[in-house]
Amino acid sequence: MGTPVLERAIDMAKFIYLYRGPATPMSDLTPEQGAERMAAFGAWMEKAGAALVDGGSPFGSSASVRDDGTEGTAGDLTGYTIVEADDLAAAKALTDGLPFLSNSDGKCAVEIFELLPM
């Protein structure tokens, strides 16, 4: 048997949050707005604590390559985060207070997928 911390880490599943919807680039914000945004995400990351595996990143330029070799426009994904949780319900609960979901206008969503072992 391993240590309780090791056993818990083994039992935890990883989930990716994919952020979908409009996002204002940091370059379009005033320094004060940028600082507010960073503080809000910092507070959420602090709240997520050890469940936060990878704070993620916003997405930059994008492309879409299809299985027939053609290219298209990529979707409206704007970034990602990876968390560890016992199950999908716990991963969903971790989105509480996530600044990306603070507008309450239905234009933004966090799509959550479990990352399965290969």
Side-chain angles (χ1 to χ4, degrees), residues 27-87:
S27 59
D28 289 354
L29 300 175
T30 67
E32 294 79 17
Q33 290 170 322
E36 286 177 24
R37 179 185 283 183
M38 294 305 292
F41 269 100
W44 176 80
M45 293 169 89
E46 178 85 17
K47 180 179 169 187
L52 188 64
V53 173
D54 180 347
S57 174
F59 294 148
S61 41
S62 62
S64 174
V65 179
R66 293 179 165 65
D67 60 355
D68 64 0
T70 62
E71 293 187 25
T73 303
D76 60 350
L77 294 174
T78 59
Y80 79 97
T81 297
I82 298 175
V83 298
E84 276 186 328
D86 288 327
D87 54 27

